[in-house]
Amino acid sequence: MTTALTDNFGRTIEYVRLSVTDRCDLRCHYCLPEGYRDFQEPAEWLTFDEIERVLRVFAELGVRRVRLTGGEPLTRRGLPELAARLSRLPGIEDLSLSTNAVQLKKFAGALYRAGVRRLNISLDSLRPDRFAAITGGGHLGKVLDGLMAAKTAGFAPIKLNMVVMKGVNDDEIEGLVRFCLEHGFTLRLIETMPMGATGRAAAEHYLDLQEVRHRLADTFELVPAVMPGGGPARYVQVAGTSLKIGFITPLSQHFCETCNRVRLAADGTLYLCLGQDDKLELRPLLRAGIRDGELKSAIRAAVAHKPERHEFREQPGKIVRFMARTGG
Ligand code: SAM
């Protein structure tokens, strides 16, 4: 019998976002610099055995949900095997994946069989040339193939994540809504965050999603909605349809008071907040032979000091690490 993992603000942590690599096969300009190669070496990553152990300990501390992310998680060799190991852990009830879907056609079936059920897929544009420009040369066709393979494999829900940028892709929001209506996907619109130099540069394209919500209401009849496991997004539904649209608004309306998550980076750094530097390095502890009981105490102590909130608005220069490094 364990007591829940709680912080000093009374929040219960039941969700781990697990980055399995900081590498990515796209270079979205707001995320990683063009030509960026300063990645961690694979020897710095936690091994599958180490990840499984840490997640087992988290599950014993009350964590129920795990999301595989990165970088691009599908670039880590053997991901379906890791997924299968994590989905078998006692206590883990929900295993999901965030991906750019470039390689999803190949992996969708294996991931579903491994126990992954929910997918978040990044998709900022449905125009091949614009998609290539935003992602540093990505092929939209591969992503669409991946999306259709995911549908066929049975994933539900499939949520499309669109980072909305003024003058870059904000003229495509209604098009994305229609695409999701047609295919039964959920749409989530995201404000750019000032993470790393790239995220800060993207701030010139920042668009307040409260405005976008009003704009969408001119075209679609929107009613308030809830999404089970919807995380930080605030949802509306297009009346008379099953389409839900989520707004992730870290800048215009932050949601830190309900934060229930921590992030484990590929190298074993446990970040307590996406927008703060507070962390606990787990890899040295694991490789020094720490026992489970001590590991639990170290995690409890770190989580207790989870920062109250990010300061993306007040201190946009604070976070120098890229989103891909933390695990988006
Ligand atoms: N590669 C996977 C994917 O594409 O979903 C997982 C990692 S990616 C870093 C996770 C999400 O972070 C993506 O939806 C991406 O668009 C978003 N992202 C990256 N940098 C961002 C930034 N500066 N502001 C807002 N969203 C960002």
Side-chain angles (χ1 to χ4, degrees):
M1 179 71 194
T2 54
T3 50
L5 205 47
T6 51
D7 72 6
N8 290 338
F9 298 97
R11 295 171 296 194
T12 298
I13 305 306
E14 50 90 34
Y15 182 23
V16 172
R17 293 179 73 103
L18 168 68
S19 171
V20 293
T21 175
D22 59 341
R23 296 179 187 219
C24 190
D25 45 6
L26 294 180
R27 285 291 176 283
C28 300
H29 62 72
Y30 52 78
C31 186
L32 282 173
E34 197 182 339
Y36 180 80
R37 302 209 66 79
D38 189 21
F39 294 111
Q40 295 161 347
E41 289 302 318
E44 297 176 73
W45 297 339
L46 296 189
T47 64
F48 285 1
D49 286 346
E50 288 168 332
I51 292 173
E52 185 179 357
R53 177 176 176 211
V54 172
L55 269 296
R56 178 176 49 74
V57 162
F58 265 112
E60 287 169 8
L61 289 169
V63 163
R64 295 290 166 257
R65 302 165 57 200
V66 177
R67 173 172 294 277
L68 301 164
T69 182
E72 173 46 45
L74 296 182
T75 64
R76 176 122 184 211
R77 196 172 299 151
L79 190 75
E81 179 206 328
L82 177 66
R85 288 169 70 165
L86 298 182
S87 68
R88 285 197 292 264
L89 285 175
I92 298 301
E93 296 163 1
D94 176 42
L95 183 63
S96 57
L97 171 76
S98 286
T99 176
N100 60 30
V102 170
Q103 300 189 52
L104 191 56
K105 185 177 177 190
K106 185 163 123 201
F107 288 111
L111 287 165
Y112 192 86
R113 286 191 294 280
V116 180
R117 287 294 175 269
R118 301 189 302 114
L119 289 181
N120 285 3
I121 295 176
S122 300
L123 187 57
D124 294 338
S125 174
L126 286 169
R127 299 190 195 169
D129 51 343
R130 186 182 276 178
F131 181 84
I134 294 173
T135 59
H139 291 279
L140 178 65
K142 286 188 186 170
V143 173
L144 297 181
D145 286 350
L147 264 174
M148 297 314 146
K151 227 171 122 167
T152 307
F155 289 96
I158 296 173
K159 297 179 187 168
L160 301 193
N161 282 344
M162 177 190 198
V163 177
V164 178
M165 293 165 281
K166 192 188 287 186
V168 176
N169 63 353
D170 57 325
D171 56 344
E172 284 195 67
I173 302 171
E174 284 81 356
L176 256 299
V177 170
R178 292 195 179 90
F179 181 74
C180 288
L181 273 171
E182 184 186 340
H183 292 285
F185 302 137
T186 298
L187 180 61
R188 304 200 318 163
L189 306 174
I190 304 176
E191 290 176 348
T192 57
M193 288 172 251
M195 295 199 62
T198 45
R200 270 191 288 289
E204 72 176 276
H205 301 293
Y206 169 76
L207 188 55
D208 181 334
L209 289 183
Q210 316 297 332
E211 287 172 32
V212 171
R213 188 174 168 150
H214 288 125
R215 187 179 112 187
L216 282 177
D218 291 340
T219 311
F220 304 98
E221 190 189 340
L222 304 179
V223 293
V226 281
M227 183 85 177
R234 293 178 172 87
Y235 279 90
V236 295
Q237 188 156 350
V238 177
T241 77
S242 58
L243 174 65
K244 289 183 178 158
I245 306 173
F247 297 82
I248 302 185
T249 56
L251 278 93
S252 66
Q253 197 181 6
H254 77 78
F255 31 78
C256 304
E257 61 285 353
T258 57
C259 186
N260 62 352
R261 62 200 58 194
V262 290
R263 293 165 197 266
L264 183 61
D267 65 353
T269 306
L270 183 68
Y271 287 102
L272 301 164
C273 172
L274 183 64
Q276 297 286 2
D277 288 320
D278 305 64
K279 61 188 176 196
L280 170 66
E281 306 279 0
L282 290 180
R283 193 186 57 199
L285 303 179
L286 296 169
R287 296 194 182 168
I290 193 170
R291 291 164 193 266
D292 279 2
E294 295 164 330
L295 185 57
K296 281 183 189 166
S297 301
I299 292 172
R300 271 193 193 288
V303 166
H305 293 99
K306 180 176 164 65
E308 183 174 17
R309 48 169 300 207
H310 66 70
E311 294 163 298
F312 285 142
R313 233 182 211 291
E314 299 84 344
Q315 296 200 57
K318 184 165 185 178
I319 301 303
V320 296
R321 62 182 191 272
F322 303 115
M323 179 78 92
R325 173 61 67 100
T326 316

